[in-house]
Amino acid sequence: MSETRPSVLFVCVHNAGRSQMAAAFLTHLSQGRIEVRSAGSTPADAVNPAAVQAMAEAGIDLSSETPKVLTADAVQASNVVITMGCGDTCPVFPGKQYLDWKLDDPAGQGVEAVRPIRDEIERRIRGLLAELGIETA
């Protein structure tokens, strides 16, 4: 079954905020119908606490997530690669769809500043799901 599931990779430099929130929303909203990855070129030590708090307010637990390093294998294994407006570069492979979502950086921000970023990410994830033909509740 996993061969037919679309796969999406979210990339941001530190893999601690935007890409973690996007991956969590896509995992939650797709209910396992999409293989989801996230990674960064220079991953942080931990996920941004304000992002964890903002996502908890949306009913999604990020507390056990950890930033992961970006590998060429992760890019190659994904159908869609989405960079999060942080200027990160990914290896480019033919046949992949590449998108760049320009989003404010939540690093060093409080939860009040992270909420609108979270909400914009959710809006874009819902659009991505529609584009991929996957309905959400």
Side-chain angles (χ1 to χ4, degrees):
M1 179 176 152
S2 65
E3 297 83 48
T4 60
R5 278 192 314 165
S7 59
V8 176
L9 169 65
F10 295 99
V11 179
C12 196
V13 175
H14 300 297
N15 188 225
R18 293 167 285 194
S19 53
Q20 289 283 347
M21 289 189 287
F25 268 127
L26 187 57
T27 298
H28 178 75
L29 294 171
S30 73
Q31 300 175 330
R33 292 173 284 177
I34 296 179
E35 188 174 353
V36 181
R37 299 176 181 86
S38 72
S41 54
T42 55
D45 293 330
V47 175
N48 179 335
V52 173
Q53 183 180 347
M55 291 301 286
E57 293 172 359
I60 299 173
D61 183 8
L62 278 184
S63 63
S64 64
E65 295 299 323
T66 56
K68 296 165 240 9
V69 70
L70 176 65
T71 65
D73 288 344
V75 176
Q76 198 159 18
S78 302
N79 302 108
V80 181
V81 179
I82 301 173
T83 54
M84 309 301 289
C86 44
D88 222 356
T89 57
C90 296
V92 176
F93 295 98
K96 309 291 176 199
Q97 179 181 359
Y98 292 88
L99 302 171
D100 185 40
W101 290 357
K102 303 280 188 224
L103 296 160
D104 291 336
D105 189 351
Q109 304 291 321
V111 71
E112 299 80 16
V114 175
R115 285 182 188 119
I117 300 167
R118 172 203 64 201
D119 295 344
E120 176 62 14
I121 289 170
E122 181 181 11
R123 186 187 71 73
R124 291 181 188 214
I125 291 297
R126 289 184 183 278
L128 177 65
L129 284 164
E131 185 180 313
L132 294 172
I134 296 178
E135 292 183 23
T136 59

